[in-house]
Amino acid sequence: MHRSAPGGGARLSLPLRGGLLLLTLGLVLALLPRQVVGRAGPGLYRGHLDQQRPLAEDVAARVNAKADVVFYHTGFSRFDGQSAVAIYQMTLLGLGQVALEHPELRAKFLPVMRVAARRLAEPSTLAYAAHVYGQHGVSYMAPGAGHAYLGYINLGLGMLRRLEPDMALAPLHDRLSEQLATRLFSSETGLIETYPGETWPPDVAAVAGSIGLHALATGGPRAAQVAAKLKQWEARFARCAIDKSGYLVQRTVSHSCQPADAPRGSGTAVASYFLSFGAPELSKRLFSALEREGQRSLFGFGGVAEYASGFSGPGDGNAGPILFGVSVGATGFAIGAARANQAPEFYLELYRTAALFGIPTDTHDTRSFAVGGALGNALLLAMLTARPAEAL
Amino acid sequence: MTETGPVAPQVAVAAEPSARGASAWTGPGRVLFVGLVCVPVELGLAHGLASGDPIEALMRGQLAGLAALGLLLAVRLFLVLIWPSWLSYRLLTLALLSWRARHSPSR
């Protein structure tokens, strides 16, 4: 039955050892990792101060420590600019959501939110937009030019406005919201271009969310009119950009509903989060598609498939690395969609995955995801602290 | 199997205290030691990367940053997924061997 081991002990037979190995591997993987990884998840979902605050402190410190408006200098102006816009926007959304959840933190985070808003609205942050359009949309939007990248900027400004209605950038916020709404509500497809010749439905979702958040932050009788127009827009947008799988098409041919890319999980998830600010029913619809079409679970860890069934591809910067069909982008953005749409189980599974690969690391009174850098930590703060529409 | 067969001397060795100690070291003890070494490595790398920006290293193709990131992820996955299974397997194997030694017909 057993034979001598080199160390002088006894050994079990090979089939028995193989069986034991499989048994322990199965049992341990099924029971242990979910208990030791992502233990902060339940507290984060419930919005506990001691879980949200250290993450917010880290993101605030990164923005405060940055002297330059751009975070990365890779030599690719589009990436450098867009990543800076994403960092400032997500910083504003994340800190704003934390401040809405814990009003006692407003005074602490408002100064850094003002800094982020100023840099977000600075044309040099996204010099690429001025390069392709001839002028940055913050300065001037020519009639007919889409400038949907402004949805990210306007959404960030909207969160600061929500906390500080008389903020210094209020006139710019009003003008951008008005000009974007004019473009969005007059579009037959429900879509507008991000850059000349490029139409990205997830960016359009950011524009719609920003218009909704502006109405929420400013209130008044105009808010009801905006809500009604957003409702009409939802139908056109859904008809044009939502695939039969329920996933959002990542890119379309400009001025048409013809797909230029596959229905993708990263775009669907981030659009679901953005739409929670202005079109919660459409947000829910996209989130349901993520649950139905994209949700993957193993041993208590969750992920979201990048491509809808029947589609495949190499992904891109929005998706990030793709492993077994599950992308980092879709999984990360789905955390925000899950909290905004009140899905605790899905949220916890996704958070465990984020914690497994992101590696939360405590330093004094801050906590950051070691692998995330400035971009990943700002994104995760916004996603982990997303709020349902009725709590905005 | 008989008392004079090949099994009996091995059982005696396995049941002998000093041999059990050696087995524990070459089995679960060694696995435990590997884990104890990996934990500070993970902590050190995580704190090092958290104070910088791994995405910048990734985008710029900085080899040291990429190596640290790769090593951290490898150690993290090993500690969370592989190491507990390996330790459990070794403990279970040791327990089974001890049980066999005690209940062997040769005793």
Side-chain angles (χ1 to χ4, degrees):
Chain A
M1 285 292 282
H2 47 270
R3 57 187 172 78
S4 292
R11 276 200 167 183
L12 302 169
S13 66
L14 191 63
L16 187 56
R17 277 188 285 154
L20 278 177
L21 188 62
L22 285 177
L23 180 73
T24 49
L25 198 64
L27 277 174
V28 170
L29 289 181
L31 300 174
L32 195 70
R34 72 171 72 198
Q35 300 298 330
V36 297
V37 176
R39 279 176 296 173
L44 276 167
Y45 184 79
R46 287 193 287 271
H48 287 177
L49 178 66
D50 58 343
Q51 299 297 342
Q52 288 192 344
R53 183 174 178 155
L55 294 173
E57 297 272 14
D58 175 76
V59 170
R62 285 176 192 269
V63 170
N64 276 328
K66 199 74 187 171
D68 192 4
V69 290
V70 174
F71 279 76
Y72 303 118
H73 298 274
T74 63
F76 300 101
S77 71
R78 182 164 171 156
F79 174 83
D80 293 348
Q82 288 187 163
S83 60
V85 165
I87 290 168
Y88 292 128
Q89 180 213 22
M90 293 297 175
T91 297
L92 283 161
L93 293 174
L95 294 180
Q97 286 160 180
V98 172
L100 285 172
E101 193 117 29
H102 305 285
E104 69 273 22
L105 293 178
R106 281 186 190 208
K108 179 174 181 57
F109 290 135
L110 270 175
V112 67
M113 289 179 72
R114 291 188 197 111
V115 170
R118 271 200 307 276
R119 292 182 186 171
L120 186 59
E122 171 64 44
S124 64
T125 304
L126 187 56
Y128 181 80
H131 172 70
V132 294
Y133 268 118
Q135 70 283 313
H136 194 292
V138 163
S139 311
Y140 173 71
M141 295 169 76
H147 293 275
Y149 61 87
L150 288 173
Y152 294 80
I153 295 169
N154 206 42
L155 200 47
L157 296 181
M159 183 53 82
L160 179 58
R161 187 80 175 275
R162 178 77 183 83
L163 295 171
E164 192 176 50
D166 57 347
M167 67 178 189
L169 292 166
L172 174 66
H173 184 221
D174 289 338
R175 179 165 62 80
L176 292 181
S177 299
E178 180 65 38
Q179 291 180 331
L180 289 171
T182 301
R183 282 160 172 74
L184 197 67
F185 296 152
S186 63
S187 167
E188 286 180 16
T189 59
L191 301 171
I192 57 175
E193 287 185 328
T194 298
Y195 301 122
E198 294 185 36
T199 301
W200 302 82
D203 297 352
V204 179
V207 170
S210 80
I211 294 167
L213 186 56
H214 176 267
L216 188 71
T218 53
R222 205 178 155 278
Q225 292 173 3
V226 169
K229 285 184 176 174
L230 275 171
K231 200 79 200 146
Q232 292 167 359
W233 164 82
E234 275 182 37
R236 297 198 302 281
F237 177 79
R239 199 164 45 242
C240 195
I242 296 182
D243 178 67
K244 62 176 188 287
S245 63
Y247 263 31
L248 190 66
V249 172
Q250 191 84 348
R251 185 176 175 183
T252 62
V253 175
S254 289
H255 314 296
S256 82
C257 295
Q258 189 185 333
D261 194 353
R264 301 261 299 271
S266 53
T268 306
V270 79
S272 174
Y273 168 68
F274 287 152
L275 289 167
S276 69
F277 293 96
E281 285 178 24
L282 190 53
S283 168
K284 179 75 181 170
R285 176 174 167 181
L286 291 177
F287 177 68
S288 299
L290 291 172
E291 285 186 304
R292 188 181 62 246
E293 178 77 16
Q295 187 173 2
R296 303 285 184 272
S297 286
L298 186 65
F299 301 132
F301 291 78
V304 173
E306 177 60 22
Y307 287 90
S309 350
F311 294 88
S312 63
D316 56 14
N318 299 307
I322 300 177
L323 194 62
F324 303 117
V326 169
S327 77
V328 170
T331 302
F333 293 133
I335 295 174
R339 193 163 192 261
N341 287 283
Q342 296 171 291
E345 292 304 320
F346 196 12
Y347 177 96
L348 291 179
E349 287 200 347
L350 294 169
Y351 177 69
R352 284 192 197 110
T353 306
L356 176 63
F357 291 99
I359 313 176
T361 305
D362 291 335
T363 315
H364 306 301
D365 54 351
T366 70
R367 179 177 299 152
S368 65
F369 292 88
V371 170
L375 181 59
N377 278 286
L379 286 168
L380 277 170
L381 176 68
M383 297 304 124
L384 289 166
T385 59
R387 291 167 68 77
E390 58 271 20
L392 286 168
Chain B
M1 295 185 189
T2 66
E3 283 187 38
T4 54
V7 171
Q10 293 165 17
V11 169
V13 169
E16 211 272 326
S18 62
R20 274 211 303 274
S23 176
W25 167 246
T26 56
R30 187 172 54 183
V31 180
L32 202 61
F33 176 75
V34 169
L36 289 175
V37 169
C38 284
V39 167
V41 171
E42 189 204 337
L43 284 174
L45 285 169
H47 278 88
L49 285 172
S51 64
D53 197 325
I55 292 179
E56 179 142 40
L58 203 68
M59 295 304 296
R60 286 188 164 188
Q62 292 167 343
L63 286 180
L66 288 176
L69 186 60
L71 183 60
L72 174 61
L73 284 172
V75 171
R76 169 76 161 174
L77 293 177
F78 170 76
L79 275 177
V80 172
L81 304 177
I82 307 296
W83 182 75
S85 307
W86 188 22
L87 182 63
S88 304
Y89 165 74
R90 286 297 192 186
L91 287 170
L92 198 61
T93 306
L94 192 67
L96 203 59
L97 283 172
S98 301
W99 181 85
R100 276 198 172 175
R102 288 198 185 90
H103 295 85
S104 166
S106 60
R107 291 191 67 156

